[in-house]
């Protein structure tokens, strides 16, 4: 039998190799500290859970919901954009509720991508940014992920040398996996570029509220005229620690939102209504919980950087997101990110995400997530120290350990 078309277009999922080794180790009794997946360990705010429970007890609540989201939730998201970014959006025509930002991106890809259409995607980047379009029949052109002038130089080359011309460019700041943050000036240049070359901007802003200094990350929609060419995806997964609730949003250009809404109408009936009601309570409620979670992640970041430095691994200090994007330690650099990640599980009992899973330019790096408490992070650093000591500066020992 011939292979399925879309499956053929997908490379092996490298994270699955790491997950398999992790599961095997745990089955054998190992206490694996999982810093690999960005899966929040904190609880959702109590007032949000209370609203969910309250709503579930009502009658006629178990019916199909609204695919584009209940009106109250779309209004709540519009109000969030007004408060946080000073951006006015129409909840009826410029907001759609998605089953998480990941699914929203994939659905948008289906809505706007034809066979052979080119989309420009940063490398390294969150996998759905590229593979959503590949599964929809599109073609990916990779450029630098750093929000610098070089980004626009590469984007210009992509416009000139891609046939057909790209239909859209994807951006993600604060970035998953690199934790880079873009400035409003960068977004101004991006909107100007997109209008000049008549392409769309698809922005992933899932980590907008996880920042660790006094400068909240901006939205590209703050730029005048951005609404003409942009849709932005946000998520409640990290902001409110509601990852398993699968609740996100797309906000922006009416034409793109309309296309996404139409595709979704064929694919789903929307999230469970009580979840949408509870999500509305989160967006309309007090933001103390956001400040508390942000403080916890910042403390974890500081503990991770400090404890791993003492163990012999200098990690960069991210200004935002829930990730640390670090070079594979020099002693293990020749192994590559995937083999190093396997070695970390087997010898240090710590799971990290191999950088190659985020794109070709991710090779040589790993991503560590701030999803364990401070004690467990220090324990992970001690596990890494054991690995360093076992390698003992010898390339022979490194190769032996990897086997």
């Amino acid at each position: 039998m011939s292979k399925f078309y879309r499956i053929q277009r997908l490379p092996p999922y490298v994270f699955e190799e790491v997950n398999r080794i992790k599961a095997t180790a745990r089955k054998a009794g190992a206490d694996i500290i999982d810093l690999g997946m960005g899966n929040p360990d904190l609880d959702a705010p109590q007032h949000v859970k209370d609203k969910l429970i309250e709503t579930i007890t009502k009658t006629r609540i178990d019916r199909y919901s609204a695919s584009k989201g209940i009106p109250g939730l779309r209004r709540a998201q519009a109000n969030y954009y007004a408060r946080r970014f000073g951006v006015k959006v129409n909840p009826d025509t410029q907001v759609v509720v998605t089953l998480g930002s990941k699914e929203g991106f994939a659905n948008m890809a289906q809505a706007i991508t034809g066979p052979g259409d080119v989309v420009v995607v940063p490398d390294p980047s969150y996998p759905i940014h590229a593979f959503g379009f590949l599964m929809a029949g599109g073609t990916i052109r990779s450029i630098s992920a750093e929000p610098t002038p070089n980004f626009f130089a590469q984007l210009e080359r992509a416009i000139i040398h891609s046939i057909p011309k790209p239909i859209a460019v994807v951006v993600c700041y604060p970035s998953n996996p690199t934790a880079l943050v873009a400035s409003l000036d960068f977004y101004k240049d991006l909107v100007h570029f997109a209008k000049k070359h008549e392409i769309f901007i698809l922005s992933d802003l899932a980590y907008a509220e996880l920042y660790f200094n006094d400068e909240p990350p901006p939205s590209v929609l703050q730029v005048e005229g951005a609404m003409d060419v942009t849709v932005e995806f946000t998520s409640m997964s990290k902001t409110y620690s509601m990852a398993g609730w699968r609740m996100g949003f797309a906000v922006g250009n009416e034409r793109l939102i309309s296309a996404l809404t139409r595709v979704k109408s064929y694919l789903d009936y929307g999230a469970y209504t009580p979840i949408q009601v509870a999500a509305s309570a989160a967006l309309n409620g007090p933001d103390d919980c956001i400040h508390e979670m942000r403080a916890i992640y910042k403390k974890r970041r500081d503990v991770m950087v400090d404890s791993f430095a003492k163990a012999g691994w200098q990690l960069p200090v991210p200004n935002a997101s829930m990730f640390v994007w670090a070079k594979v330690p020099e002693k293990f650099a020749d192994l590559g990110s995937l083999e190093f990640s396997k070695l970390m599980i087997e010898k240090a009992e710590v799971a990290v995400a191999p950088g190659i899973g985020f794109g070709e330019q991710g090779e040589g790096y790993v991503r560590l997530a701030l999803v364990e408490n401070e004690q467990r992070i220090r324990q992970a650093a001690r596990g890494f120290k054991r690995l360093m000591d076992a390698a003992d500066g010898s390339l022979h020992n490194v190769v032996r350990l990897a086997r």
Side-chain angles (χ1 to χ4, degrees):
M1 294 178 65
S2 61
K3 294 182 180 178
F4 297 118
Y5 168 72
R6 285 178 175 79
I7 301 303
Q8 275 186 294
R9 305 203 79 203
L10 297 176
Y13 197 54
V14 298
F15 300 116
E16 189 54 38
E17 289 192 54
V18 175
N19 290 340
R20 202 161 43 238
I21 294 172
K22 181 172 62 180
T24 299
R26 281 176 168 164
K27 189 175 182 180
D31 178 21
I32 303 298
I33 301 171
D34 194 349
L35 307 178
M37 187 177 181
N39 194 11
D41 64 317
L42 303 176
D43 288 337
Q46 188 60 48
H47 71 279
V48 179
K49 293 191 286 187
D50 289 344
K51 176 58 71 171
L52 174 68
I53 294 168
E54 173 194 328
T55 310
I56 285 176
T57 62
K58 295 181 179 180
T59 59
R60 297 173 65 82
I61 204 68
D62 297 312
R63 311 178 78 187
Y64 291 129
S65 190
S67 177
K68 68 181 296 184
I70 61 175
L73 181 53
R74 285 184 278 115
R75 286 194 298 270
Q77 177 68 350
N79 290 337
Y80 164 75
Y81 260 80
R83 288 193 313 271
R84 173 69 163 79
F85 304 112
V87 175
K88 184 178 180 180
V89 296
N90 185 328
D92 294 323
T93 60
Q94 295 177 316
V95 179
V96 63
V97 179
T98 65
L99 304 180
S101 60
K102 179 177 182 179
E103 291 83 349
F105 243 96
N107 291 163
M108 179 62 81
Q110 289 180 286
I112 69 173
T113 310
D117 279 347
V118 178
V119 176
V120 182
V121 178
D123 183 357
S125 190
Y126 187 53
I128 198 63
H129 295 158
F131 296 126
F133 294 97
L134 285 174
M135 284 188 283
T139 300
I140 298 303
R141 174 96 182 207
S142 297
I143 63 171
S144 168
E146 297 186 13
T148 64
N150 186 47
F151 179 96
F152 293 102
Q154 293 191 33
L155 186 53
E156 184 87 41
R157 287 197 294 273
I159 295 292
I160 294 171
H161 297 294
S162 297
I163 300 176
K165 187 186 81 173
I167 62 170
V169 57
V170 174
V171 290
C172 175
Y173 304 108
S175 172
N176 180 6
T178 66
L180 294 168
V181 180
S183 67
L184 192 57
D185 284 339
F186 172 84
Y187 284 141
K188 289 177 181 177
D189 291 340
L190 182 62
V191 170
H192 174 76
F193 185 98
K195 288 192 159 191
K196 176 183 175 182
H197 293 282
E198 298 182 329
I199 64 172
F200 291 116
I201 299 168
L202 303 177
S203 170
D204 186 343
L205 195 61
Y207 298 90
E209 302 305 336
L210 285 184
Y211 58 92
F212 308 125
N213 51 32
D214 296 328
E215 298 180 25
S219 161
V220 63
L221 291 175
Q222 291 175 240
V223 178
E224 184 177 355
M227 200 70 71
D228 298 335
V229 292
T230 304
V231 163
E232 191 158 69
F233 295 85
T234 58
S235 169
M236 305 196 74
S237 295
K238 310 309 190 295
T239 302
Y240 295 95
S241 204
M242 293 167 59
W245 299 47
R246 305 316 303 136
M247 184 56 54
F249 304 90
V251 174
N253 177 266
E254 289 188 14
R255 181 185 170 201
L256 291 174
I257 292 295
S258 176
L260 174 58
T261 301
R262 184 168 183 182
V263 165
K264 273 178 52 63
S265 71
Y266 283 92
L267 296 176
D268 69 68
Y269 286 108
Y272 184 40
T273 297
I275 290 179
Q276 296 195 54
V277 173
S280 302
L283 289 169
N284 291 329
D287 58 4
D288 298 14
C289 55
I290 300 175
H291 297 295
E292 291 169 5
M293 290 184 187
R294 189 184 298 141
I296 290 171
Y297 282 119
K298 182 177 182 180
K299 181 64 174 176
R300 289 179 178 184
R301 177 203 67 174
D302 295 342
V303 168
M304 179 177 286
V305 171
D306 178 66
S307 59
F308 274 88
K310 291 176 180 175
W313 190 2
Q314 298 295 326
L315 304 180
V317 183
N319 289 324
S321 86
M322 62 189 303
F323 304 115
V324 173
W325 181 244
K327 281 190 174 182
V328 173
E330 185 176 353
K331 187 178 292 188
F332 305 97
D334 289 343
L335 295 179
S337 62
L338 179 56
E339 292 304 316
F340 173 70
S341 298
K342 294 177 181 179
L343 192 63
M344 283 285 285
I345 294 174
E346 294 169 347
K347 305 300 181 181
E349 297 189 335
V350 177
V352 297
I356 190 63
F358 301 97
E360 182 181 353
Q361 298 305 312
E363 183 54 279
Y365 291 81
V366 293
R367 191 192 71 180
L368 298 87
L370 305 172
V371 292
E372 293 274 9
N373 64 40
E374 295 165 31
Q375 178 182 345
R376 296 280 282 172
I377 290 172
R378 291 190 179 97
Q379 182 181 338
R382 291 194 295 270
F384 171 74
K385 182 65 164 58
R386 290 196 304 272
L387 173 59
M388 287 285 282
D389 292 343
D392 194 27
S394 164
L395 179 61
H396 170 75
N397 281 343
V398 171
V399 173
R400 174 182 56 80
L401 287 169
R403 289 173 177 169

